[in-house]
Amino acid sequence: MNVFDMKFSKVFPLLIAKVERKGRKAEEAYAVTEWLTGYSKEALDSLINSDITYGDFFDHAPQMNSGRMKVKGKICGVRIEDIADQKMRDMRILDKLVDEIAKGKSVEKIFKGIDVL
């Protein structure tokens, strides 16, 4: 199955579980997702209870943050800045932000590192 076709209701809880396994809070995963996509926490919670695909989640995002293009680094051995497909790049950016939380970085430090604050 293509990642674009996976249900958001399956993927997002996995991202939350990743940060919680490392002793972090779900709110931190929500914060970076809200920053990246423009969805509110309430909208994200509603989407968890819907049939929207992960691809459509990104396609219908209220406001993709222009600062996302400053996110750099590797995820799954691939440099984010080298990913040509924008939707795949956005997915990998979210993965990277969640990974940074799981590694112990605060949301504030992540955003400061990409000149958001």
Side-chain angles (χ1 to χ4, degrees):
M1 174 178 270
N2 183 322
V3 68
F4 298 132
D5 297 329
M6 294 176 72
K7 297 292 183 194
F8 177 76
S9 62
K10 301 290 185 200
V11 177
F12 193 64
L14 294 174
L15 297 176
I16 292 171
K18 181 187 286 189
V19 300
E20 290 180 332
R21 275 193 311 271
K22 298 294 184 168
R24 304 305 296 266
K25 293 184 166 72
E27 290 77 22
E28 294 171 292
Y30 274 94
V32 294
T33 306
E34 290 172 43
W35 172 83
L36 178 64
T37 63
Y39 287 109
S40 67
K41 182 178 186 317
E42 295 76 20
L44 292 170
D45 285 339
S46 176
L47 291 172
I48 288 172
N49 295 313
S50 76
D51 284 334
I52 192 170
T53 65
Y54 202 42
D56 286 343
F57 166 77
F58 284 97
D59 287 340
H60 301 294
Q63 181 67 43
M64 292 301 291
N65 193 310
S66 61
R68 75 191 189 280
M69 302 312 285
K70 295 179 183 177
V71 176
K72 304 217 181 297
K74 284 186 175 182
I75 189 79
C76 300
V78 177
R79 286 206 132 315
I80 290 172
E81 53 271 30
D82 293 342
I83 300 171
D85 181 276
Q86 188 60 53
K87 186 169 24 177
M88 180 59 74
R89 186 175 183 173
D90 290 339
M91 288 179 185
R92 293 303 186 181
I93 289 169
L94 182 55
D95 287 343
K96 178 69 174 173
L97 296 173
V98 169
D99 278 356
E100 292 297 310
I101 292 167
K103 290 178 184 175
K105 279 192 180 178
S106 69
V107 172
E108 293 79 17
K109 190 169 188 171
I110 293 167
F111 289 162
K112 187 174 183 182
I114 51 178
D115 301 321
V116 176
L117 297 177

